[in-house]
Amino acid sequence: MGSGTSTRHHSAFQNAERTFKAAALIQRWYRRYVARLEMRRRCTWSIFQSIEYAGQQDQVKLHDFFSYLMDHFIPSSHNEREFLTRMFTEDRFTQDSEMEKCSDYESIEVPDSYTGPRLSFPLLPDHATALIEAFRLKQQLHARYVLNLLYETKKHLVQLPNINRVSTCYSEEITVCGDLHGQLDDLIFIFYKNGLPSPERSYVFNGDFVDRGKDSVEILMILFAFMLVYPKEFHLNRGNHEDHMVNLRYGFTKEVMNKYKIHGKEILRTLQDVFCWLPLATLIDEKVLILHGGVSDITDLELLDKIERNKIVSTMRCKTRQKSEKQMEEKGKANRKSSAQEPIPWFLPQSRSLPSSPLRLSSYKARKTNRSSSIPCGGCLDGRELSRQVRSSVELELERCRQQAGLLVTGQKEEPSRSASEADSEAGELQKPTQEEWRQVVDILWSDPMAQEGCKANTIRGGGCYFGPDVTQQLLQKYNLQFLIRSHECKPEGYEFCHNRKVLTIFSASNYYEVGSNRGAYVKLGPALTPHIVQYQANKVTNTLTMRQRISRVEESALRALREKLFAHSSDLLSEFKKHDADKVGLITLSDWAAAVESVLHLGLPWRMLRSQLVNSSADNMLEYKSWLKNLAKEQLSHENIQSSLLETLYRNRSNLETIFRIIDSDHSGFISLDEFRQTWKLLSSHMNIDITDDCICDLARSIDFNKDGHIDINEFLEAFRLVEKSCLEGDTSECPQATNAKDSGCNSPGAC
Amino acid sequence: MADEKDREEIIVAEFHKKIKEAFEVFDHESNNTVDVREIGTIIRSLGCCPTEGELHDLIAEVEEEEPTGYIRFEKFLPVMTEILLERRYRPIPEDVLLRAFEVLDSAKRGFLTRDELIKYMTEEGEPFSQEEMEEMLSAAIDPESNSIHYKDYITMMVIDEN
């Protein structure tokens, strides 16, 4: 064509062009790959969050059930009364007195063989540091020291105001940490990276120290120890998980009972007190407000400053003053006589505050006040409506259930239970909070920020509000604040700003849902109170994984949880699928599948995006739904002789079941009797509309009574149906401590609550 | 004729649902808008594989007259539906991808060194950012040989996709 040179140029040019194009192609392909990974990551996150929050809703419903039971279930026969007594009472009942409790720890002997840390009071900084080291080496603090520490902690907390005011003049830096949820590794990491607490280094821990993770006890010990050692520099706020009712469900109660078989109960009761005395918020330089959940449009800091915060033992249920006064009028004297026999549920908030005067002691011996419930939702119309509906449906169910259960029906009218009103007449100890006071506290412990303006009930969690940027602005202006720091929500990066950077969410439990799911973070406030965020991920494994591997791993975990949830709703799904299959061919379109699944599960997930992971590719976009459901079941079934529908029911109610077990197991022995199991199941299944025959339950109960002695070991029961959190069982060998027993590993993932 | 129209309507309806789902994943404020920087992710996760340049043009199409940094669903939906109907920006088949690597591997060794990969990806085509480069290296490079055996790499990625 031309000279050699130009041919060379030409082919050189062609080469360059081809290289360019090849590179561009590879880049184009790679970018798409990354985008799809990102989408998977988001979907995975949605799965975990929606399941977690659905679980919290369940919790509220369950407590609605028990609350209602407490208020309105009049034993109409000897059988029922006995049952209630068994279910809700405990042996040690009569001999309790506050003073005995307090000095109880002194009578606990520590054997010479004990090699763990020993504490003496007043605590010194070395003690606190020694605790960290001991726990790092997996030692356990002896119950005596635990109780002693808790006792001292409470003495300290009682002196603190509801809103702790902190100044930066005295310490050079203040570090604020969010939820830890029993993840000791994260706490140790924070102290390692940021430095131990000291007069120059202040810390604020913003609630949710316990539940879900496996080292909640240890975290509390360390936090309380430092608080006693550096009272002016170390601050704790209460979170919604510092609440014994919530602990029943989310693992802390279980952890304590597993680690402290003899004194666990005692520890739990003392903790009830400690938790309700935790301050509600911390205010730095009158400029930065730190609280666990959020705020609402009625948040009133002056009111919060003044209330007796320990009145609110649990945010799950509360009898408020007006209602109880009314009942007192109604009941009159008649009930005081019979008060002595009425059992008070051990798991209800007991009025256990230190008597402020010795005179109170004597009246205290009589009866503890009972806080049976009214509405576990702060005055929002939705909540009340929901509660009313629950109540009426439960009432009907109870009636039906009584008949079914073959108990005598005496046709009594609904009235507040005797225990409730009789307790009111005792009201001596602690005045109950007003509805408004209670709501104020629930709001700051449970609320979440939202992008839209306004303030609406947080129906997803079942408590508190969603608050918009206008609510934040209003509050900041009203009290002349710069910004808000809160926690309560897990964030992929460990932190998140919103509302124009006026609200900072800080979350310190890394790998919360699953190894690799998220980072943890803490924030340091400098002299001008400008926030400086530090992120981390306390797991060596994640650092060696590629992004793809990390995402895959977390994704697998999420999908497993999701598939379990799908299985748990098999029957409902089947009927929904059938609706789309008018011609009864056994096939539905994938589009219909997505619609059906959403209408049953209500998780708000992008089902079409998830479809390829949940459904094997099908011919021309049609799904044989029956075999799909069968495959789901196959994955979950470990006992072929247990019918699938029963298992499905158990799965769906797993967390409720476990919570109920723990409530029945009032002496924390780890065993419940067959009878108790059957009775409770009957009540629950009526309430929840579960259709299981009596025979079926009996068979089931008998089959899990492995040694045929009439008692069911709770953990064995749950294990037998693989109802225990699985994450530690699957090859997560990295940081998971040798879980020879899945039951006491208490791993993080919330699973399908 | 009527049948075909019905079918097309069904297909379009299904596309609409898919697009909405993908869009909502990134609609953090639940107000039917997404950050413009996430549009690429959304489009790609719907099965398309545009170049950066094509993406840029697409964004111009769905942006507001005065760009706000946000894309509204109402504008995005029709454009995206059209793309899906026309099957634009189809993904790259495995063999084409392999050939691309082979072009870069002029000596036909079966691999590219780490440095070569970096050079090509950051200097040619539509260059990677540092972050993108590091991410690709972490998964692609075999630490012992410090190179990428692209055939194996492709196989691994493809399996992972499915």
Side-chain angles (χ1 to χ4, degrees):
Chain A
M1 277 224 356
S3 69
T5 339
S6 95
T7 319
R8 263 202 311 272
H9 280 320
H10 188 66
S11 58
F13 179 73
Q14 271 185 330
N15 267 341
E17 204 188 346
R18 279 180 30 227
T19 305
F20 185 93
K21 282 196 177 148
L25 194 120
I26 295 172
Q27 288 152 345
R28 176 161 75 111
W29 164 82
Y30 186 76
R31 283 177 171 127
R32 176 169 179 253
Y33 172 76
V34 168
R36 292 185 63 176
L37 266 189
E38 175 64 18
M39 183 57 95
R40 277 163 64 186
R41 196 185 65 76
R42 301 282 180 130
C43 290
T44 300
W45 191 264
S46 301
I47 295 175
F48 276 130
Q49 262 201 333
S50 60
I51 291 181
E52 174 179 14
Y53 294 162
Q56 286 183 332
Q57 263 185 56
D58 265 0
Q59 162 115 28
V60 176
K61 286 190 205 145
L62 182 67
H63 282 102
D64 273 353
F65 170 62
F66 276 105
S67 313
Y68 188 74
L69 198 61
M70 290 324 303
D71 274 351
H72 302 285
F73 190 69
I74 312 296
S76 52
S77 72
H78 177 68
N79 284 351
E80 279 191 343
R81 185 189 309 279
E82 270 221 3
F83 167 53
L84 259 192
T85 310
R86 268 202 319 268
M87 182 166 156
F88 292 128
T89 201
E90 60 173 38
D91 316 302
R92 314 181 33 165
F93 203 49
T94 43
Q95 70 234 24
D96 287 326
S97 88
E98 185 61 41
M99 283 326 257
E100 259 185 74
K101 272 287 123 6
C102 294
S103 52
D104 244 0
Y105 65 82
E106 275 168 19
S107 59
I108 302 178
E109 282 201 16
V110 181
D112 290 329
S113 54
Y114 170 70
T115 54
R118 290 168 190 261
L119 303 177
S120 60
F121 294 84
L123 275 186
L124 297 170
D126 279 349
H127 287 126
T129 323
L131 273 183
I132 302 180
E133 190 53 28
F135 294 150
R136 208 176 56 81
L137 298 171
K138 313 260 188 256
Q139 289 172 355
Q140 185 170 300
L141 186 65
H142 194 277
R144 183 213 167 94
Y145 300 121
V146 174
L147 287 166
N148 201 352
L149 180 56
L150 289 179
Y151 176 62
E152 295 293 323
T153 300
K154 183 176 161 183
K155 270 189 2 200
H156 169 76
L157 288 176
V158 166
Q159 305 162 52
L160 298 178
N162 296 345
I163 303 182
N164 243 331
R165 281 163 169 82
V166 175
S167 168
T168 49
C169 324
Y170 302 113
S171 63
E172 287 162 15
E173 49 174 70
I174 295 194
T175 304
V176 182
C177 302
D179 296 28
L180 284 170
H181 281 300
Q183 299 188 185
L184 184 60
D185 285 343
D186 286 308
L187 179 60
I188 292 181
F189 182 85
I190 294 173
F191 283 159
Y192 166 70
K193 177 123 197 204
N194 194 47
L196 289 171
S198 72
E200 294 77 40
R201 193 176 292 116
S202 290
Y203 274 94
V204 178
F205 280 86
N206 201 12
D208 277 12
F209 321 121
V210 303
D211 277 333
R212 296 197 193 282
K214 56 181 178 59
D215 295 313
S216 301
V217 175
E218 284 69 31
I219 288 197
L220 284 183
M221 295 296 102
I222 294 175
L223 294 179
F224 291 155
F226 275 111
M227 187 177 62
L228 292 175
V229 169
Y230 298 118
K232 294 212 172 14
E233 294 84 16
F234 200 86
H235 311 280
L236 301 177
N237 287 341
R238 187 177 186 183
N240 62 308
H241 277 261
E242 273 69 58
D243 180 329
H244 68 290
M245 298 285 253
V246 177
N247 299 149
L248 271 173
R249 187 190 193 89
Y250 288 101
F252 181 48
T253 307
K254 181 158 64 169
E255 180 191 328
V256 173
M257 290 316 299
N258 273 331
K259 287 180 175 167
Y260 294 96
K261 300 210 178 344
I262 305 173
H263 298 282
K265 231 189 328 178
E266 171 100 30
I267 293 176
L268 286 171
R269 297 180 77 148
T270 316
L271 270 166
Q272 252 186 49
D273 263 342
V274 172
F275 282 166
C276 68
W277 275 107
L278 284 168
L280 300 171
T282 301
L283 186 58
I284 303 192
D285 289 349
E286 305 289 322
K287 283 284 161 220
V288 178
L289 183 62
I290 307 175
L291 32 72
H292 179 72
V295 296
S296 73
D297 52 358
I298 59 149
T299 294
D300 182 346
L301 293 184
E302 280 130 2
L303 185 81
L304 280 168
D305 241 335
K306 295 205 208 90
I307 67 174
E308 288 172 67
R309 66 180 186 271
N310 60 310
K311 290 191 292 194
I312 295 159
V313 183
S314 165
T315 48
M316 280 276 119
R317 17 185 299 160
C318 171
K319 178 155 234 156
T320 53
R321 208 182 288 148
Q322 295 93 327
K323 178 157 181 175
S324 63
E325 278 163 6
K326 236 204 301 178
Q327 283 180 339
M328 269 177 76
E329 287 168 21
E330 282 172 37
K331 277 319 174 155
K333 285 190 229 150
N335 300 298
R336 277 179 225 228
K337 288 209 197 117
S338 49
S339 65
Q341 293 106 13
E342 226 33 67
I344 309 250
W346 67 268
F347 60 91
L348 287 185
Q350 315 285 319
S351 161
R352 311 204 31 100
S353 49
L354 276 175
S356 51
S357 101
L359 291 174
R360 292 265 194 96
L361 260 182
S362 46
S363 67
Y364 189 72
K365 276 196 201 132
R367 248 321 159 240
K368 301 185 183 86
T369 53
N370 173 8
R371 254 179 256 288
S372 35
S373 95
S374 61
I375 306 157
C377 160
C380 302
L381 200 53
D382 292 350
R384 253 184 258 134
E385 187 52 48
L386 175 67
S387 219
R388 200 160 354 115
Q389 285 172 17
V390 166
R391 242 188 248 163
S392 56
S393 78
V394 170
E395 174 61 10
L396 289 172
E397 302 297 343
L398 281 176
E399 201 51 43
R400 186 162 71 82
C401 164
R402 270 193 213 126
Q403 291 170 2
Q404 269 183 1
L407 299 166
L408 293 172
V409 177
T410 58
Q412 283 182 357
K413 263 213 290 261
E414 169 189 325
E415 20 174 356
S417 79
R418 269 169 278 167
S419 57
S421 48
E422 150 267 320
D424 298 337
S425 64
E426 288 295 320
E429 264 311 308
L430 217 49
Q431 274 234 296
K432 294 160 186 53
T434 64
Q435 174 79 346
E436 209 210 337
E437 288 172 343
W438 183 76
R439 187 181 159 190
Q440 290 277 338
V441 175
V442 170
D443 279 349
I444 61 175
L445 258 38
W446 285 84
S447 300
D448 291 315
M450 65 175 174
Q452 296 84 358
E453 306 225 317
C455 187
K456 57 184 190 187
N458 193 327
T459 44
I460 293 199
R461 291 195 193 260
C465 298
Y466 285 120
F467 63 100
D470 53 332
V471 175
T472 301
Q473 185 59 21
Q474 186 191 324
L475 187 103
L476 295 180
Q477 247 167 13
K478 180 170 178 192
Y479 297 107
N480 205 9
L481 304 169
Q482 253 173 41
F483 64 98
L484 209 63
I485 300 182
R486 45 90 61 177
S487 305
H488 198 41
E489 281 181 297
C490 183
K491 298 291 177 191
E493 292 298 313
Y495 77 98
E496 190 175 272
F497 281 101
C498 66
H499 293 188
N500 250 327
R501 289 187 80 93
K502 294 288 192 346
V503 174
L504 168 63
T505 302
I506 196 85
F507 194 85
S508 302
S510 66
N511 305 319
Y512 178 63
Y513 290 125
E514 174 58 81
V515 173
S517 66
N518 65 288
R519 292 173 144 146
Y522 56 85
V523 58
K524 299 165 73 94
L525 298 177
L529 295 180
T530 34
H532 167 62
I533 315 261
V534 177
Q535 295 168 294
Y536 54 86
Q537 206 152 9
N539 184 304
K540 300 188 211 70
V541 176
T542 48
N543 295 336
T544 62
L545 296 176
T546 63
M547 178 173 72
R548 175 185 70 87
Q549 287 171 319
R550 244 180 291 138
I551 293 179
S552 294
R553 192 186 174 133
V554 185
E555 192 183 36
E556 258 168 54
S557 181
L559 290 172
R560 214 182 311 136
L562 193 54
R563 262 179 260 143
E564 209 178 82
K565 221 167 168 58
L566 285 167
F567 166 70
H569 290 87
S570 299
S571 314
D572 287 339
L573 283 172
L574 184 61
S575 28
E576 196 63 30
F577 289 153
K578 285 192 175 149
K579 288 188 199 158
H580 291 273
D581 179 20
D583 302 331
K584 303 209 208 298
V585 270
L587 296 170
I588 53 171
T589 66
L590 291 171
S591 181
D592 288 338
W593 172 85
V597 172
E598 178 57 28
S599 74
V600 169
L601 290 195
H602 299 296
L603 287 175
L605 292 174
W607 295 106
R608 281 170 189 79
M609 309 241 96
L610 298 169
R611 186 190 44 80
S612 54
Q613 317 268 41
L614 297 169
V615 177
N616 284 330
S617 38
S618 40
D620 19 276
N621 271 3
M622 298 295 275
L623 171 68
E624 267 190 78
Y625 51 89
K626 288 198 189 134
S627 53
W628 179 70
L629 285 170
K630 242 209 312 226
N631 282 334
L632 270 183
K634 260 198 221 134
E635 273 177 54
Q636 312 296 336
L637 277 172
S638 61
H639 282 242
E640 283 77 41
N641 53 338
I642 304 298
Q643 28 156 249
S644 178
S645 64
L646 181 60
L647 197 63
E648 177 191 335
T649 305
L650 291 173
Y651 265 82
R652 189 164 51 238
N653 295 286
R654 175 220 297 200
S655 266
N656 285 342
L657 256 184
E658 186 174 350
T659 309
I660 289 171
F661 273 145
R662 299 205 178 279
I663 290 177
I664 299 178
D665 178 25
S666 52
D667 59 359
H668 290 295
S669 62
F671 290 92
I672 59 173
S673 76
L674 282 181
D675 222 23
E676 287 166 336
F677 171 69
R678 265 197 356 255
Q679 303 259 27
T680 308
W681 185 260
K682 273 189 202 146
L683 277 175
L684 177 67
S685 54
S686 290
H687 174 61
M688 303 281 194
N689 268 321
I690 303 166
D691 193 16
I692 303 278
T693 67
D694 221 35
D695 285 338
C696 210
I697 294 295
C698 289
D699 285 341
L700 173 65
R702 263 194 290 273
S703 72
I704 53 187
D705 174 14
F706 295 119
N707 57 0
K708 306 295 166 223
D709 69 347
H711 280 83
I712 300 172
D713 179 306
I714 293 174
N715 287 322
E716 274 180 349
F717 173 75
L718 295 173
E719 175 59 36
F721 293 97
R722 290 172 61 204
L723 294 178
V724 173
E725 308 288 2
K726 288 190 227 147
S727 54
C728 255
L729 298 175
E730 256 84 304
D732 181 2
T733 50
S734 51
E735 299 295 282
C736 217
Q738 309 356 283
T740 44
N741 264 332
K743 57 194 170 202
D744 52 24
S745 58
C747 262
N748 298 354
S749 75
C753 275
Chain B
M1 196 45 182
D3 260 348
E4 226 187 88
K5 210 161 185 232
D6 279 343
R7 221 174 316 137
E8 169 146 346
E9 264 174 34
I10 294 178
I11 292 176
V12 168
E14 187 56 23
F15 279 164
H16 281 185
K17 287 193 205 136
K18 267 175 115 158
I19 297 170
K20 185 164 200 288
E21 240 189 29
F23 195 86
E24 276 173 357
V25 173
F26 291 91
D27 179 12
H28 302 303
E29 308 191 0
S30 304
N31 59 358
N32 289 326
T33 66
V34 300
D35 190 317
V36 64
R37 290 165 291 185
E38 321 251 49
I39 286 289
T41 309
I42 298 175
I43 295 178
R44 284 168 173 135
S45 64
L46 284 166
C48 302
C49 199
T51 65
E52 291 289 283
E54 286 163 337
L55 190 58
H56 190 76
D57 294 338
L58 264 172
I59 290 178
E61 237 186 287
V62 294
E63 248 177 350
E64 304 295 317
E65 301 276 314
E66 306 238 348
T68 59
Y70 287 96
I71 306 292
R72 281 186 303 120
F73 182 65
E74 300 81 54
K75 284 202 103 171
F76 182 69
L77 183 64
V79 174
M80 193 66 223
T81 311
E82 200 57 34
I83 292 173
L84 289 181
L85 278 172
E86 292 174 9
R87 298 170 66 82
R88 255 191 273 162
Y89 315 127
R90 295 270 80 211
I92 299 160
E94 216 177 306
D95 54 332
V96 174
L97 187 58
L98 183 59
R99 256 179 284 144
F101 274 104
E102 284 170 351
V103 164
L104 299 180
D105 176 22
S106 45
K108 307 289 171 245
R109 298 156 298 175
F111 65 86
L112 291 172
T113 70
R114 180 197 174 91
D115 288 342
E116 284 170 344
L117 185 65
I118 293 177
K119 183 179 78 152
Y120 287 128
M121 292 295 104
T122 58
E123 292 175 20
E124 299 281 350
E126 292 175 316
F128 273 170
S129 67
Q130 196 187 1
E131 214 184 311
E132 283 172 314
M133 192 67 250
E134 272 169 22
E135 210 334 278
M136 185 181 192
L137 287 172
S138 72
I141 296 289
D142 164 30
E144 279 180 24
S145 59
N146 223 17
S147 60
I148 165 177
H149 292 261
Y150 46 84
K151 199 145 191 243
D152 295 336
Y153 176 63
I154 294 173
T155 315
M156 174 182 83
M157 299 290 259
V158 166
I159 290 177
D160 190 49
E161 284 272 275
N162 308 326

